[in-house]
């Protein structure tokens, strides 16, 4: 096993120990929040309660903004394609809905697991989204830069759009988006330095 | 499926001058706008200054609500612009499969049954089946989008009556301000609280406030309305 890979495995093991509770607790918390936000409006029919739950759902969606970015095109395509087929009903509907729900929760849980893992790895100078291939690394940096800038711009647009009539929801949602923006900007800038540093060494 | 998101109110096609919900509501809308634009003096304040219906609406309703959904000051003129710049949409709420949550809180309404079930709440049609509300409005919505229960539309005076015009006024307040009837966590002050009522008062008290502060001063308006407890 190459030294670099062994060192990475060691860091992962150490990080896993240190962040064990957090690594498990945060994805579970996110899944529970998503279950409450998406599930409760189907149970309670009181209008004011519904509206408050919808607001929570909006904040939870902003909290999982990167997941939304990844899933949105897929959901849009599924929605468009399904117009050509008869709507799912009966047992078929239940099976597809259960599978869809499980996948959605698994994606949210898995995403938060990876976020904690990446933060932990970076604390030790490692990362699972850094590549030796320079082109792959540049692509990753560009994607993260776009996500970071996109999140910040979106937080401004979102805040400006709803702050006057849903102030609490607007502030919470915008904070989530801004946090993601800063997170991805920091990752992209750090990795950009890493790419340039590597290239300078290689040039020398 | 998408065609049923915005089903039109039943429209009169049999003979000229007949009246169905579509005509009654649109007659009421036109009459309401005309009344609010009418420069005729309808009352005097304590200092003896003349008041039009527009100034009564300003002091009795719009000043209390403060701003519209974009944070701009709410005025009778901006309210009239809201109702006239783009034609408001009045639809049959008892037939609509549009997502109720999207109507009230924004977002995307998925057509796919499974995606709709997982990511959206109930349909407007289901809400009308399980509740007695007369109308539900996009909060906010530009232009105004309102789903109406057809059986709640009143036909007296060709639709130009207190019940219909209060309903349009009430729903347009949701559309232009983004405020719900009463307290919710995302919008702590609803229209009821802003107009000086309690959170526990029924929603129809907003219609009563509109009548008392504005429409009752307008001469010749048919006073027919539904009862409010």
């Amino acid at each position: 096993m190459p030294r670099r890979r062994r060192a990475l495995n060691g860091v992962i093991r150490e990080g896993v120990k240190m962040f064990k509770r957090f690594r498990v607790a945060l994805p579970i918390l996110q899944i529970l929040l998503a279950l409450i936000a998406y599930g409760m409006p189907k149970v309670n029919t009181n209008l004011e309660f519904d509206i408050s739950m919808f607001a929570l759902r909006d904040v939870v969606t902003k909290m999982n903004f990167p997941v939304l970015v990844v899933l949105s095109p897929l959901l849009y395509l599924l929605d468009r394609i399904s117009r050509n087929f008869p709507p799912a009903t009966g047992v078929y509907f239940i099976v597809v809905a259960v599978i869809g729900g499980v996948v959605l929760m698994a994606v949210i849980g898995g995403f938060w697991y990876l976020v904690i893992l990446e933060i932990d790895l970076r604390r030790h100078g490692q990362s699972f989204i850094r590549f030796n291939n320079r082109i792959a690394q540049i692509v990753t940096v560009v994607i993260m830069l776009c996500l970071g800038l996109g999140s910040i711009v979106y937080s401004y647009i979102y805040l400006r759009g709803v702050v006057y009539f849903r102030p609490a929801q607007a502030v919470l949602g915008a904070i989530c988006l801004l946090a993601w923006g800063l997170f991805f900007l920091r990752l992209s800038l750090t990795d950009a330095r890493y790419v340039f540093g590597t290239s300078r060494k290689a040039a020398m | 499926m998408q065609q049923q998101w915005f089903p039109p109110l039943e429209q009169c096609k049999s003979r000229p001058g007949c009246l169905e919900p579509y005509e009654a509501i649109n007659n009421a809308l036109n009459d309401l706008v005309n009344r609010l634009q009418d420069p005729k003096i309808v009352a005097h304040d304590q200092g003896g200054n003349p008041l039009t219906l527009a100034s009564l609406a300003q002091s009795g309703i719009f000043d209390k609500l403060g701003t519209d959904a974009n944070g701009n000051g709410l005025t009778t003129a901006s309210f009239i612009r809201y109702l006239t710049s783009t034609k408001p949409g009045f639809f049959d709420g008892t037939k609509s499969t549009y997502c109720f949550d999207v109507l009230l809180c924004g977002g995307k309404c998925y057509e796919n049954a499974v995606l709709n079930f997982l990511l959206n709440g109930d349909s407007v049609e289901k809400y009308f089946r399980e509740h007695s509300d007369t109308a539900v409005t996009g909060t906010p919505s530009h232009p105004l989008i309102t789903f109406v229960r057809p059986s709640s539309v009143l036909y007296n005076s060709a639709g130009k009556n207190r019940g219909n015009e209060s309903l349009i006024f009430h729903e347009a307040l949701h559309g232009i301000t983004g405020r719900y009837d009463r307290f919710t966590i995302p919008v702590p002050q609803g229209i009821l609280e802003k107009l000086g009522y309690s959170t526990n008062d029924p929603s129809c008290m907003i219609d009563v406030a509109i009548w008392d502060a504005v429409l009752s001063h307008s001469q010749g308006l048919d006073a027919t309305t539904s009862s409010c407890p």
Side-chain angles (χ1 to χ4, degrees):
Chain A
M1 187 183 286
R3 187 192 285 175
R4 180 180 148 79
R5 194 168 164 191
R6 254 181 295 164
L8 183 63
N9 284 344
V11 170
I12 290 174
R13 272 199 298 276
E14 192 190 329
V16 164
K17 279 179 195 167
M18 281 186 64
F19 276 68
K20 195 172 180 182
R21 283 183 187 169
F22 203 45
R23 185 197 56 180
V24 174
L26 195 57
I28 288 176
L29 180 70
Q30 289 295 336
I31 289 172
L32 282 176
L33 272 174
L35 278 174
I36 292 169
Y38 285 90
M40 287 302 281
K42 300 179 199 314
V43 180
N44 192 320
T45 56
N46 173 275
L47 179 60
E48 281 70 35
F49 178 80
D50 269 8
I51 291 168
S52 300
M53 280 295 115
F54 298 151
L56 175 67
R57 194 190 67 192
D58 190 43
V59 174
V60 168
T61 305
K62 302 292 179 289
M63 223 180 268
N64 291 280
F65 179 66
V67 179
L68 181 76
V69 169
V70 174
L71 287 186
S72 284
L74 186 69
L75 294 177
Y76 178 78
L77 272 178
L78 274 175
D79 201 35
R80 299 286 296 187
I81 292 167
S82 64
R83 287 179 193 179
N84 304 317
F85 299 96
T89 50
V91 179
Y92 175 60
F93 174 87
I94 294 169
V95 170
V96 178
V98 167
I99 292 171
V102 169
V103 168
L104 191 67
M105 293 304 136
V107 168
I108 289 173
F111 166 73
W112 282 96
Y113 176 87
L114 292 176
V115 168
I116 300 298
L117 183 65
E118 178 64 14
I119 291 171
D120 187 28
L121 285 172
R122 285 187 179 248
R123 287 175 66 240
H124 297 87
Q126 300 292 330
S127 167
F128 69 85
I129 50 171
R130 277 192 195 138
F131 306 97
N132 289 327
N133 183 318
R134 193 155 178 262
I135 292 173
Q137 188 56 53
I138 289 172
V139 169
T140 312
V141 167
V142 170
I143 289 172
M144 286 193 297
L145 190 67
C146 290
L147 265 176
L149 292 175
S151 303
I152 289 170
V153 171
Y154 183 36
S155 76
Y156 170 71
I157 294 169
Y158 172 75
L159 187 68
R160 209 181 62 160
V162 297
V163 71
Y164 292 107
F165 57 99
R166 291 180 199 142
Q169 181 184 339
V171 170
L172 284 174
I175 286 174
C176 293
L177 291 170
L178 195 61
W180 279 121
L182 296 176
F183 177 76
F184 282 112
L185 268 189
R186 186 174 171 182
L187 290 194
S188 63
L189 292 177
T190 308
D191 284 7
R193 279 200 295 269
Y194 172 80
V195 173
F196 281 117
T198 309
S199 61
R200 236 182 269 132
K201 275 176 201 166
M204 283 190 286
Chain B
M1 186 175 178
Q2 193 171 8
Q3 287 173 340
Q4 293 172 348
W5 278 3
F6 301 104
L9 284 167
E10 196 176 340
Q11 199 167 349
C12 180
K13 286 168 187 166
S14 57
R15 62 185 193 285
C18 62
L19 204 61
E20 291 290 353
Y22 178 88
E23 287 80 15
I25 279 292
N26 281 290
N27 287 346
L29 172 67
N30 293 334
D31 190 54
L32 174 64
V33 169
N34 288 338
R35 286 177 188 277
L36 288 173
Q37 286 177 324
D38 192 346
K40 197 163 66 182
I41 293 160
V42 294
H44 290 84
D45 65 10
Q46 289 172 341
N49 298 314
L51 296 169
T52 61
L53 207 62
S55 55
L56 284 173
Q58 186 64 51
S59 56
I61 304 291
F62 301 125
D63 285 347
K64 291 176 180 172
L65 291 173
T67 57
D68 65 15
N70 297 316
N72 302 315
L74 195 56
T75 63
T76 307
S78 67
F79 187 71
I80 291 169
R81 264 199 312 278
Y82 177 66
L83 290 176
T84 53
S85 60
T86 313
K87 189 175 162 56
F90 294 103
F91 306 102
D92 186 343
T94 62
K95 292 177 182 168
S96 171
T97 55
Y98 192 62
C99 300
F100 181 70
D101 57 339
V102 173
L103 183 70
L104 292 196
C105 302
K108 177 169 168 52
C109 184
Y110 288 96
E111 287 183 70
N112 178 285
V114 173
L115 292 181
N116 184 294
F117 174 77
L118 290 174
L119 302 172
N120 294 123
D122 290 328
S123 64
V124 171
E125 170 268 324
K126 190 175 178 212
Y127 182 80
F128 271 94
R129 214 169 348 114
E130 295 176 351
H131 297 80
S132 58
D133 299 41
T134 51
V136 184
T137 289
T139 308
S141 54
H142 293 271
L144 174 67
I145 290 177
T146 296
F147 290 93
V148 179
R149 186 186 299 279
S151 61
S152 69
V153 175
L154 303 173
Y155 297 100
N156 304 56
S157 303
K160 293 181 257 184
N161 55 61
R162 171 186 171 179
N164 289 349
E165 295 189 23
S166 297
L167 179 142
I168 293 169
F169 202 127
H170 174 162
E171 296 308 319
L173 289 180
H174 291 306
I176 196 171
T177 64
R179 292 187 184 280
Y180 304 108
D181 279 347
R182 55 176 61 77
F183 168 87
T184 58
I185 293 171
V187 190
Q189 280 215 300
I191 294 174
L192 276 171
E193 290 90 349
K194 282 277 188 181
L195 294 179
Y197 291 98
S198 149
T199 302
N200 297 321
D201 283 325
S203 300
C204 61
M205 290 311 292
I206 297 171
D207 300 36
V208 171
I210 291 165
W211 172 255
D212 289 345
V214 189
L215 296 179
S216 63
H217 298 276
S218 185
Q219 283 188 343
L221 178 60
D222 188 320
T224 308
T225 189
S226 308
S227 63
C228 179

